[in-house]
Amino acid sequence: MLEQLKGLRAQALEELNKVGNPRELELWRVRYLGKKSNLTQILRSLAALPLEERREVGAQANEIKKALESSLEEKGRLLQESILTSPRESQRVDITLPGRALPTGRLHPTTQILKEICDIFKNMGFQVIEGPDVEWDYYNFEALNIPQHHPARDMFATFWIDTGMGEKARLLRTHSSPMQIRLMEKERPPIRAIVPGRVYRYEATDATHESMFYQVEGLAVDKGITLADLKGTLFDFCRCLFGEERRVRFRCDYFPFVEPGVEVAISCLACNGTGCRLCGHSGWIEILGAGMVHPDVLTRVDINPKLYSGFAFGMGVERIAMLRYGIDDIRLFYSNDLRFLRQF
Ligand code: FA5
């Protein structure tokens, strides 16, 4: 029996060496330490042995049992450690594989051109501020010399906001010019600021008209500001954005809140001024309206027009982006077509 015990120990330890996972370890435990294992059978049969043999075999069997139990415990600990530290085959990372390119986001063409426009004016000393999209009739029209029933209201087809009280007082701003009033109400000259933001018009869309688009308003008020300052500022701006080659047209226009009023157009990029669908066969694309701030507007915000004068302008941002990037339809900007957006 002593020989059998020796062999059993050697075999058990040899097999334990080959165990590679917790499942195999459990099978090993049942085989060598379980109720039906040879070792347990030997321990149970001790009572039937003569006293001398019982002592010797009993001591030996118990020693082997203890040794196998501690080997089992040690092996369990080692297996657990290796599971935690070495990833399974399926989880292993092949560091020799080339990396997968992640799709990167990019700025919308409107955002890109807005940033460029703001940078040009910041370099000229203009501060950048923002204002509300939902506006009062007073700021959008009244304070800009466009009272109720003034025909100029037809220039700005308006989205009115239903206040539930039946009156037309709140609206989605139709242009960025209301910010001229808000600015001059708060600040005293010298003022030099631009205001980028969304504006809304209730009108049919076509290649150069959207119902929601961006404008950048500009305002400069100080002593001695003249139309020459306005012209110089806008020509400089056009040169910075479009380069020396592009032709710039500066001619009279009418806006009730400026006197005199002007509009600036750029020679069409698609046809180079010969006339096409994009420019309505005129060869020019209008990018902004401007003028000298009307004395009545200055008076309304308590700025003395005898002492101060100023210029203002409002430019269409998408129209500028169209000229800059050669886009021939403004409706592409907000149709969320990734094939279009990925080009910028
Ligand atoms: C105005 O909105 C005036 N507030 C501009 C102004 C400001 C004049 C300060 C004098 C002093 P106008 O409606 O022309 O003007 O619009 C200005 C620019 O916005 C246009 O030159 C054009 O570039 C752009 N624009 C106008 N309507 C649309 C439209 N539906 N879709 C896209 N861009 C437009």
Side-chain angles (χ1 to χ4, degrees):
M1 206 170 264
L2 285 173
E3 277 309 300
Q4 195 191 345
L5 278 173
K6 231 191 252 172
L8 193 121
R9 175 192 201 137
Q11 191 189 349
L13 292 177
E14 190 186 324
E15 275 189 32
L16 186 62
N17 251 343
K18 292 182 196 152
V19 164
N21 60 49
R23 213 183 96 75
E24 285 172 16
L25 188 64
E26 175 58 12
L27 290 175
W28 181 91
R29 187 195 64 78
V30 172
R31 194 169 327 125
Y32 291 103
L33 291 166
K35 280 183 199 151
K36 291 182 186 159
S37 66
N38 287 347
L39 186 61
T40 309
Q41 299 300 327
I42 291 171
L43 285 167
R44 277 199 193 130
S45 65
L46 284 179
L49 293 178
L51 187 63
E52 241 347 83
E53 207 179 332
R54 191 191 313 162
R55 251 196 218 132
E56 212 176 336
V57 173
Q60 188 80 323
N62 274 317
E63 199 237 315
I64 292 178
K65 191 177 179 209
K66 264 193 207 141
L68 293 189
E69 279 171 350
S70 80
S71 300
L72 170 76
E73 199 179 306
E74 174 68 5
K75 183 75 181 184
R77 201 179 51 73
L78 289 175
L79 279 180
Q80 199 57 36
E81 247 175 39
S82 74
I83 286 170
L84 291 177
T85 53
S86 70
R88 271 192 235 136
E89 199 56 40
S90 60
Q91 294 172 338
R92 201 172 285 162
V93 177
D94 181 355
I95 55 165
T96 64
L97 279 176
R100 236 176 265 146
L102 289 174
T104 48
R106 58 195 77 202
L107 294 178
H108 191 278
T110 307
T111 312
Q112 292 188 31
I113 207 79
L114 261 175
K115 196 174 162 323
E116 265 191 68
I117 295 172
C118 290
D119 284 347
I120 292 172
F121 284 108
K122 272 196 259 178
N123 285 340
M124 293 186 198
F126 284 74
Q127 58 168 322
V128 182
I129 54 158
E130 288 185 18
D133 287 22
V134 175
E135 217 11 307
W136 293 100
D137 180 292
Y138 175 77
Y139 289 106
N140 199 83
F141 291 129
E142 294 263 342
L144 291 167
N145 290 344
I146 314 175
Q148 295 285 345
H149 312 299
H150 191 290
R153 289 206 175 205
D154 293 346
M155 289 161 72
F156 306 103
T158 309
F159 284 108
W160 292 98
I161 291 181
D162 187 356
T163 52
M165 284 144 78
E167 30 130 46
K168 281 183 165 178
R170 303 221 88 184
L171 47 84
L172 290 179
R173 64 178 173 191
T174 57
H175 54 166
S176 43
S177 299
M179 277 307 286
Q180 287 183 32
I181 307 297
R182 287 184 179 274
L183 251 166
M184 290 188 286
E185 274 181 349
K186 259 185 40 200
E187 286 181 34
R188 298 290 90 186
I191 297 171
R192 228 187 287 176
I194 56 163
V195 188
R198 264 186 295 253
V199 303
Y200 307 82
R201 294 201 189 162
Y202 184 46
E203 58 186 28
T205 62
D206 62 26
T208 52
H209 291 83
E210 253 297 358
S211 45
M212 188 285 293
F213 57 100
Y214 279 76
Q215 284 191 341
V216 172
E217 190 76 10
L219 177 71
V221 184
D222 204 350
K223 284 182 179 152
I225 288 195
T226 67
L227 190 66
D229 295 313
L230 171 63
K231 196 171 174 184
T233 305
L234 293 178
F235 269 74
D236 255 6
F237 164 75
C238 291
R239 258 195 299 274
C240 283
L241 205 61
F242 301 111
E244 301 281 340
E245 260 83 85
R246 185 119 266 130
R247 282 179 298 146
V248 182
R249 189 181 72 184
F250 194 83
R251 66 179 191 182
C252 288
D253 199 354
Y254 168 72
F255 299 96
F257 38 96
V258 287
E259 181 55 39
V262 297
E263 60 136 76
V264 171
I266 303 283
S267 60
C268 177
L269 176 124
C271 61
N272 218 2
T274 53
C276 67
R277 182 183 77 102
L278 178 61
C279 57
H281 305 281
S282 68
W284 297 96
I285 293 187
E286 181 204 320
I287 60 159
L288 64 88
M292 301 304 292
V293 182
H294 198 289
D296 290 353
V297 173
L298 291 176
T299 308
R300 198 165 288 118
V301 289
D302 264 342
I303 294 177
N304 185 349
K306 291 201 172 98
L307 287 176
Y308 293 100
S309 55
F311 66 70
F313 55 82
M315 56 182 69
V317 175
E318 290 78 3
R319 296 260 182 103
I320 291 172
M322 287 167 82
L323 283 158
R324 188 59 201 277
Y325 300 127
I327 299 165
D328 65 1
D329 197 319
I330 197 170
R331 289 165 292 196
L332 287 166
F333 280 82
Y334 307 114
S335 56
N336 291 332
D337 186 338
L338 286 177
R339 289 168 306 177
F340 168 73
L341 295 171
R342 283 200 181 112
Q343 295 174 58
F344 302 95

